[in-house]
Amino acid sequence: GAVVSQHPSWVICKSGTSVKIECRSLDFQATTMFWYRQFPKQSLMLMATSNEGSKATYEQGVEKDKFLINHASLTLSTLTVTSAHPEDSSFYICSAREEREGWSLEQYFGPGTRLTVT
Amino acid sequence: QKEVEQDPGPLSVPEGAIVSLNCTYSNSAFQYFMWYRQYSRKGPELLMYTYSSGNKEDGRFTAQVDKSSKYISLFIRDSQPSDSATYLCAMSGYTGGGNKLTFGTGTQLKVEL
């Protein structure tokens, strides 16, 4: 299956600083990438959807100025958590989907990034 | 009512048992159905992907979709301790482009020796 990588896998930062998480599709071109967050023992919560070269679409309740998403190429999307606070501590997972001729194919997930804000 | 309902478990079975995991949904627009496996502190891994009613088999896994009942299942035969994980069902609508996955809450499975 297709491979999606994330970097870093684990990051600890101080309150008030910003953290950037990278998501890469390694063997396919991802027209659409998704960012999720997951709290312990809970399901994935979609934060935003990004298409290469255009602005991300954020889900209701997600602050776009706090969670900056850039999908600069068909293989790379970044999520920047700005002015992080302890309540932003979570497991962030990206997902990438390849689309051909308007049809969506399978959606593949990265291994996740655990963010701890102290 | 949630669009996708899934029993969170935990479900504990002995090694070698047949496991049945299920999800129900309310949105008749869902056409694509997926099952993901997620190990602790890891991203979800796609197991099965179907888009029609009926069965689809892949090794020890069988995915079943019943659109008339809005009910999907994942069966695991000859379960192994390595199958211990959280299983998430996910589904999306018919259109391509920006269609999004809607996830169940996940069922935690433990296969014991």
Side-chain angles (χ1 to χ4, degrees):
Chain A
V3 179
V4 177
S5 70
Q6 268 183 256
H7 178 80
S9 57
W10 190 16
V11 58
I12 300 173
C13 71
K14 292 186 177 180
S15 187
T17 61
S18 295
V19 174
K20 180 185 283 188
I21 303 170
E22 288 188 352
C23 175
R24 293 181 185 272
S25 58
L26 297 185
D27 50 3
F28 66 101
Q29 293 187 322
T31 313
T32 306
M33 285 187 168
F34 304 85
W35 286 95
Y36 296 82
R37 66 187 297 182
Q38 186 178 34
F39 292 104
K41 298 189 184 296
Q42 295 187 25
S43 192
L44 289 80
M45 184 191 81
L46 180 64
M47 299 175 66
T49 303
S50 73
N51 291 290
E52 184 263 339
S54 60
K55 289 184 179 180
T57 301
Y58 290 81
E59 294 300 300
Q60 193 173 9
V62 178
E63 300 174 60
K64 59 183 178 182
D65 294 331
K66 181 169 186 62
F67 299 99
L68 301 179
I69 291 171
N70 185 290
H71 191 162
S73 76
L74 286 173
T75 59
L76 174 65
S77 177
T78 60
L79 167 68
T80 301
V81 183
T82 63
S83 187
H85 287 90
E87 57 266 28
D88 298 324
S89 299
S90 188
F91 193 50
Y92 292 87
I93 309 173
C94 75
S95 178
R97 185 174 67 201
E98 181 183 22
E99 293 166 19
R100 298 178 196 152
E101 299 175 355
W103 288 91
S104 301
L105 302 182
E106 290 90 336
Q107 189 170 324
Y108 297 93
F109 286 81
T113 296
R114 183 159 302 282
L115 170 64
T116 301
V117 184
T118 60
Chain B
Q1 183 190 7
K2 293 180 182 178
E3 279 192 295
V4 180
E5 298 277 0
Q6 184 176 9
D7 187 336
L11 177 63
S12 183
V13 301
E15 183 180 8
I18 297 174
V19 176
S20 172
L21 303 166
N22 312 294
C23 288
T24 59
Y25 62 96
S26 57
N27 189 343
S28 57
F30 289 144
Q31 299 290 332
Y32 295 96
F33 304 92
M34 283 137 279
W35 285 96
Y36 288 87
R37 176 174 63 195
Q38 186 177 24
Y39 292 109
S40 181
R41 298 174 180 265
K42 300 290 184 184
E45 171 194 7
L46 180 65
L47 286 176
M48 302 285 284
Y49 174 42
T50 59
Y51 52 85
S52 60
S53 284
N55 294 350
K56 181 178 181 180
E57 191 173 317
D58 184 0
R60 295 186 295 112
F61 299 93
T62 299
Q64 191 174 78
V65 174
D66 182 349
K67 289 185 179 178
S68 63
S69 301
K70 296 189 178 66
Y71 188 88
I72 67 170
S73 300
L74 177 70
F75 298 96
I76 307 174
R77 290 183 299 281
D78 187 25
S79 56
Q80 304 294 310
S82 58
D83 295 328
S84 298
T86 296
Y87 290 80
L88 297 149
C89 65
M91 46 199 81
S92 67
Y94 184 75
T95 58
N99 64 336
K100 300 174 288 190
L101 290 180
T102 300
F103 283 90
T105 52
T107 298
Q108 187 180 350
L109 171 67
K110 185 173 182 180
V111 181
E112 298 180 345
L113 291 168

